[in-house]
């Protein structure tokens, strides 16, 4: 019922005063929000720098330590025990336990804990068990160095932070979303972290990079110590089983086999890639088979998988941690240094505590010996009061007090009175001296370690590495990735059509003129008769302007695509000719190729993918005063320039028509091809080693360590296994290949020389005998290669060095021949002495041109 606030009673007047005591709601919301944000940041989402744990993780570990009896506990019981310290329900605790158990570092799991590779969830908490790992018991806990606080209900005590003597935050990684900020620290390799901590203590430089349990590859070019704004790229490990099948062996961090397969199926459904089917054979190891359609290039498909599926992803680390009760953004190097300094401090505290314990043991053992051997206990028999007893013992100890490290207290004397008669009667002075000597020796060792705390800390880390490092080697391989152009590797899932009259292009104009196959992410370049060039994104139906002369797929930066053009300059009446490239444009922007004039127009146009220069026949109007009214013009006479060039005057007389006469050859020089061994790819950007200058029909020869060779084209989409590639150069059919290889089953080295007889493009052929571990040590295409061989020391090695002229040692035979036996003495290294091949000095020779050699050292 509503009150009448005009009532003048004293009770109502008090209520009226309360009503007028106004509190603004927006102020309450501001304060509540800040308090909530601070609570989420400090107590839920962000780890503490001291132990690298979120509160829920810390409470789980503390609860498991309280429960620990060496046996496995049901996770349901662990959750229940943790709820005494963590006031946020069983679900969040259960998820955190499973997450920690899957990392296989602090919790030893038993039962079905799920699979981070497949995304399978763990069984219910009542079905799975766990206990603290030996590593956790060694590194994480120490009651004497732990700071404690009351739990949320005041009934228990819990650690503020755990005394972790290891960079746990960097080993496990962490991810959390708070209010207004987030944190993401990637997991790093266990062994590398320990080695880096040792480097910190030795004041040496170090580098640490992420390592994932899922394996795969990682590009750390932009890792920048994991600071805010950094980035890493991760990739699946994809291998070519055969020309029809690809196999995914490892998956990128943050994905599962299920999500990866779904992304591949989606890319296939949208036409980005073309595959037959995907088969998941994952069991103990990840194995996803991608079966290709006939005629599909495996190399391009691998690139397309990286470009359009979860086979490649980008991760942005953001190392936010709690330092001094507030969030701070640090680099992983700084986090490691802080953790290392903290480990040294904790080890110092433990040593100091042990020193105090030993000093106390030595003190009391000495007191006990004096008390018994000097029969001071006999003197207290006549004492009538407790004070007299204590005073009598104190007087008996007076002559010896100077030898103790501290003052003797009443508590010390009371302890002497508690010694039983049986122990006094059986006291053995020799054993007492031995015991004190042992304490003293240990104390001296502790004092030495305290004085040399850095060396002690290094030894501690080394022991951790020795004890727990086995089986924790790096799983994710560090590589430099190439940048994949999505428009190049996208499958042609559409067809480009053109309606010249109405000015439309697109893949929806199926009743109009077909141009070419294309991808739905391609750009299209269009030339119109009015002299306008425009580039537009392909679509179902795109208007580009009427009177279309030419439409085709646009490749940005393609210097080999040359356009030949003859146009009428409306202002002067001259007929102009030019050749030009279109390397870079802004989409939708129209670029004029002729001078702006209503009468200006294009009379002749051709697009030439390899810079071809045709010959045309030019016919002038009959009424012209020119003596020669019909003449041929060769476009090779014109220099290739930029899009904006005005061109040269072809004729000043009116032109009736221009007709194609004969096709010409390319006027461009060959393409310089380089090989970048960091990514195993070819390029035209001068990265890596120059292989040579290539014309369209020329090929590349690649020889691998496993004794296979292949002849390929020089397409930039080619992929080479950089780790296995031994030799790469421009293919010369007349070259003789000289190779030295090891036949492992017989432990015999052979030298063979041969010519290639099978040159099927992009197919590998084995030129050494099959056998596990057989491999090539040296290969050359010199005419007369000479090498120096250094042998390992052995019982039958009479000469540790041998000079071999390979052309004299072995004659040229078939590519399947075994070759000539060199011997069984182990080879340490091989070096090239000279090359007899004549090399064109006008061409660059960077070690990969004809006549080059790859050398290996086996020490």
């Amino acid at each position: 019922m509503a009150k009448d606030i005009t009532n003048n009673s004293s009770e109502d007047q008090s209520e009226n005063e309360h009503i007028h005591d106004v509190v603004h709601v927006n102020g309450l919301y501001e304060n509540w929000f800040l308090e909530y944000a601070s609570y989420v940041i400090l107590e839920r989402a962000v780890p503490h720098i001291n132990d690298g744990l979120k509160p829920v993780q810390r409470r789980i570990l503390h609860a498991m330590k309280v429960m620990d009896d060496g046996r496995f506990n049901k996770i349901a019981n662990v959750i229940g025990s943790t709820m005494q310290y963590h006031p946020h329900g069983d679900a969040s605790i259960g998820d955190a336990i499973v997450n920690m158990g899957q990392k296989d570092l602090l919790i030893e799991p038993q039962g079905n804990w799920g699979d981070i590779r497949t995304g399978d969830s763990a069984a219910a908490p009542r079905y799975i068990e766990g206990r603290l790992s030996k590593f956790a018991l060694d590194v994480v806990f120490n009651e004497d160095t732990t700071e404690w606080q009351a739990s949320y209900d005041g009934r228990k005590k819990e650690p503020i932070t755990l005394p972790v003597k290891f960079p746990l935050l960097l080993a496990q990684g962490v991810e959390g979303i708070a209010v207004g900020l987030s944190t993401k620290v990637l997991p790093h390799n266990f062994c590398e972290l320990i080695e880096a901590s040792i480097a910190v203590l030795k004041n040496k430089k170090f580098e640490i990079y992420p390592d994932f349990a899922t394996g795969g590859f990682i590009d750390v070019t932009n890792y920048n110590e994991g600071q805010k704004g950094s980035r890493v790229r991760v990739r699946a490990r994809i291998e070519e089983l055969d020309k029809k099948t690809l196999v995914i062996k490892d998956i990128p961090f943050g994905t599962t086999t299920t999500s990866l397969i779904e992304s591949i199926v989606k890319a296939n459904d949208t036409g980005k890639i073309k595959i037959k089917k995907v088969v998941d054979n994952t069991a103990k190891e990840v194995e996803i088979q991608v079966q290709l359609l006939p005629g599909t290039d495996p190399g391009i498909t691998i690139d397309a998988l990286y470009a359009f599926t979860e086979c490649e992803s980008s991760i942005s680390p953001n190392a936010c941690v709690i330092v001094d009760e507030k969030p701070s953004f640090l680099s992983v190097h700084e986090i490691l240094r802080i953790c290392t300094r903290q480990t040294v401090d904790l080890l110092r505290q433990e040593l100091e505590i042990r020193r105090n314990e030993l000093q106390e043991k030595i003190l009391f053992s000495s007191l006990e010996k004096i008390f018994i051997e000097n029969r001071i206990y006999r003197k207290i028999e006549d004492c009538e009061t407790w004070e007299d007893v204590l005073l009598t013992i104190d007087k008996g100890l007076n002559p010896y007090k100077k030898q103790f490290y501290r003052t003797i207290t009443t508590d010390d004397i009371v302890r002497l009175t508690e010694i039983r008669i049986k122990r006094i009667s059986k006291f053995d002075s020799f054993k007492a001296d031995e015991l004190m000597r042992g304490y003293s020796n240990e104390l001296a060792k502790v004092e030495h370690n305290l004085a040399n705390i850095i060396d002690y800390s290094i030894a501690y880390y080394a022991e951790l590495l020795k004890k727990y490092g086995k089986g924790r080697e790096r799983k994710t391989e560090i590589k430099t990735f190439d940048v994949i152009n999505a428009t190049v590797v996208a499958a042609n899932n559409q067809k480009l059509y053109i309606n010249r009259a109405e000015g439309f292009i697109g893949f929806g104009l199926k009743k109009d003129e077909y141009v070419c196959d294309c991808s739905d992410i391609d750009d299209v370049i269009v030339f119109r008769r009015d002299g306008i060039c425009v580039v537009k994104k392909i679509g179902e139906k795109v208007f580009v302007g009427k009177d279309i002369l030419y439409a085709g797929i646009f490749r940005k930066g393609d210097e080999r695509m040359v356009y030949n053009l003859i146009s009428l300059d409306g202002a002067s009446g001259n007929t102009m000719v030019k050749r030009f490239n279109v390397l870079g444009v802004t989409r939708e922007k129209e670029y004029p190729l002729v001078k702006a004039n209503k009468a200006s127009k294009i009379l002749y146009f051709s697009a030439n993918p390899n810079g071809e220069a045709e010959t045309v026949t030019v016919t002038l109007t009959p009424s012209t005063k020119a003596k020669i009214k019909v003449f041929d013009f060769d476009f090779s006479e014109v220099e290739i320039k930029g899009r904006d060039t005005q061109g040269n005057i072809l004729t000043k007389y009116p032109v009736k028509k221009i007709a194609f006469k004969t096709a010409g050859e390319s006027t461009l020089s060959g393409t310089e091809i380089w090989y970048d061994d960091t990514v195993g790819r070819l390029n035209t950007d001068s990265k890596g080693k120059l292989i040579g200058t290539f014309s369209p029909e020329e090929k590349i020869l690649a020889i691998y360590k496993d004794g296979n060779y292949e002849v390929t084209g020089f397409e930039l989409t080619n992929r080479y296994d950089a780790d296995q590639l031994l030799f790469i150069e421009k293919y010369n059919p007349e070259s003789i290949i000289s190779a030295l290889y090891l036949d492992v089953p017989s432990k015999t080295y052979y030298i063979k020389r041969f010519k290639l007889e099978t040159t099927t493009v992009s197919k590998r052929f084995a030129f050494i005998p099959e056998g596990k571990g057989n491999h090539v040590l040296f290969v050359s295409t010199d005419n007369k290669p000479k090498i120096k061989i250094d042998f390992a020391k052995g019982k039958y090695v009479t000469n540790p060095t041998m000079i071999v002229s390979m052309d004299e040692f072995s004659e040229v035979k078939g590519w399947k021949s075994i070759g000539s036996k060199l011997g069984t003495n182990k080879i340490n290294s091989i070096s090239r002495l000279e090359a007899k091949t004549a090399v064109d000095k006008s061409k660059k020779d960077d070690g990969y041109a004809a006549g080059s050699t790859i050398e290996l050292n086996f020490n």
Side-chain angles (χ1 to χ4, degrees), residues 96 127 221 542 646:
Y127 296 125
T221 305
V542 181
Q646 295 301 309

Side-chain angles (χ1 to χ4, degrees), residues 61-69 81 84-85 132 141 156-157:
L61 294 174
H62 174 61
M64 294 186 74
K65 182 67 170 69
V66 172
M67 299 172 64
D68 183 56
D69 58 1
S81 296
Q84 298 177 83
Y85 310 99
L132 290 172
F141 304 99
K156 300 281 184 178
K157 67 174 185 177

